[in-house]
Amino acid sequence: EYLDFAAQNPAESSLFKSEQLATFFRYGGLPGIHQMKWEENRITQYLTDIYRSVLLKDVISRNRIRDTALLEKIVLYLMDNIGNTFSAKTISDFLKNQGRKLSTETVYNYLNMLEQAFLIHKARRFDIKGKRILETQEKYYFSDLGIRHAILGYRENDIGGILENVVYLELLRRGYSVYIGKQGAAEVDFVAERADDRIYIQVAYILTEENTDREFAPLEAISDHYRKIVISTDS
């Protein structure tokens, strides 16, 4: 049924040669979707129900949040900015422009609540040259992309952030601690550490003459001898 669904929805796999990969990117990996027929409306409803349940029970009720609309605005902001670096002040300023005042401390509290409910993961920045963790401009990734797309919708223009999200989750599954790398003025998508091992990773949808130097240069500028990898969907 999984393959039949992908074959019947070629628009969903237009970015990828692998139909299975395209379907995973669109609907995530929660096991419950494999217990039902592959109908988009049913899957979307299932993922939406999980999101609402987690938000209500594990975030709103547990933390006695009164302004639920404000919390959801923050979640939607995170969904809309997948793969982008920002801070609590960025979110606070965004809400202020929408007529909602919220301190950066309160924003951080809300983000921590969402992390504790396992809806999101925070990837902090790591200064590769200075060998220290930075406290600002982090990224947030979702525990399941299907939930993100059920709420926000699937947008092919977000492919960069989607790819990062998938790689980030896979690194976590493999037992790595994962950071965003800062190499001078450039960014290395991920610095993954596990025991005495470290991997530097760049993520790109495809490699072309125009972007190859941009993807490889930050890795080539790192002077140590740990593995350096560029991941793309090129076959």
Side-chain angles (χ1 to χ4, degrees):
E1 283 186 324
Y2 185 93
L3 293 176
D4 289 343
F5 175 84
Q8 293 168 11
N9 293 269
E12 298 295 347
S13 57
S14 61
L15 289 174
F16 309 100
K17 294 181 179 180
S18 167
E19 292 173 347
Q20 298 99 319
L21 184 62
T23 306
F24 170 70
F25 276 28
R26 173 65 179 82
Y27 295 102
L30 290 179
I33 62 178
H34 297 278
Q35 308 301 319
M36 61 180 69
K37 290 186 177 181
W38 281 87
E39 297 174 2
E40 183 170 6
N41 290 339
R42 295 183 65 181
I43 294 172
T44 300
Q45 186 60 56
Y46 166 76
L47 293 170
T48 301
D49 288 345
I50 288 180
Y51 167 73
R52 297 295 177 192
S53 176
V54 171
L55 203 65
L56 177 62
K57 296 178 181 178
D58 296 335
V59 183
I60 295 172
S61 296
R62 178 173 294 178
N63 297 285
R64 300 178 181 178
I65 295 175
R66 295 182 180 180
D67 196 340
T68 58
L70 187 59
L71 174 66
E72 291 208 63
K73 279 184 179 292
I74 293 175
V75 177
L76 288 173
Y77 182 91
L78 296 177
M79 289 180 174
D80 200 36
N81 285 275
I82 186 172
N84 295 331
T85 55
F86 54 85
S87 64
K89 186 179 186 305
T90 309
I91 300 177
S92 179
D93 291 343
F94 167 76
L95 294 172
K96 185 178 180 180
N97 289 335
Q98 294 197 333
R100 303 297 303 269
K101 292 188 65 174
L102 197 64
S103 68
T104 55
E105 182 179 357
T106 303
V107 172
Y108 267 124
N109 288 337
Y110 278 3
L111 293 174
N112 288 334
M113 293 171 193
L114 294 169
E115 280 188 85
Q116 291 169 10
F118 300 105
L119 272 177
I120 61 173
H121 297 278
K122 178 169 71 174
R124 292 186 293 175
R125 286 199 308 156
F126 180 78
D127 185 341
I128 297 171
K129 187 175 181 179
K131 297 181 180 180
R132 61 192 179 94
I133 295 173
L134 303 175
E135 297 299 328
T136 59
Q137 295 298 311
E138 57 268 4
K139 289 187 180 183
Y140 288 88
Y141 296 103
F142 280 82
S143 298
D144 185 79
L145 282 168
I147 291 178
R148 186 241 186 194
H149 298 149
I151 303 303
L152 193 65
Y154 182 80
R155 305 180 302 200
E156 289 190 347
N157 289 340
D158 294 340
I159 187 58
I162 292 171
L163 285 168
E164 283 187 26
N165 206 132
V166 169
V167 172
Y168 176 83
L169 291 178
E170 181 60 26
L171 289 168
L172 289 187
R173 291 188 183 104
R174 296 187 184 198
Y176 286 94
S177 297
V178 189
Y179 307 93
I180 307 158
K182 178 182 179 295
Q183 176 64 14
E187 180 181 294
V188 174
D189 288 329
F190 297 118
V191 179
E193 295 185 330
R194 182 178 64 187
D196 295 329
D197 186 26
R198 178 185 291 178
I199 309 174
Y200 300 105
I201 296 176
Q202 290 286 73
V203 182
Y205 164 42
I206 55 174
L207 292 173
T208 64
E209 291 184 4
E210 289 75 21
N211 73 352
T212 297
D213 287 343
R214 185 176 70 246
E215 298 296 342
F216 279 79
L219 298 179
E220 293 171 338
I222 301 172
S223 59
D224 64 39
H225 299 290
Y226 289 110
R227 286 181 294 166
K228 301 169 181 67
I229 303 170
V230 176
I231 299 176
S232 82
T233 60
D234 293 292
S235 59

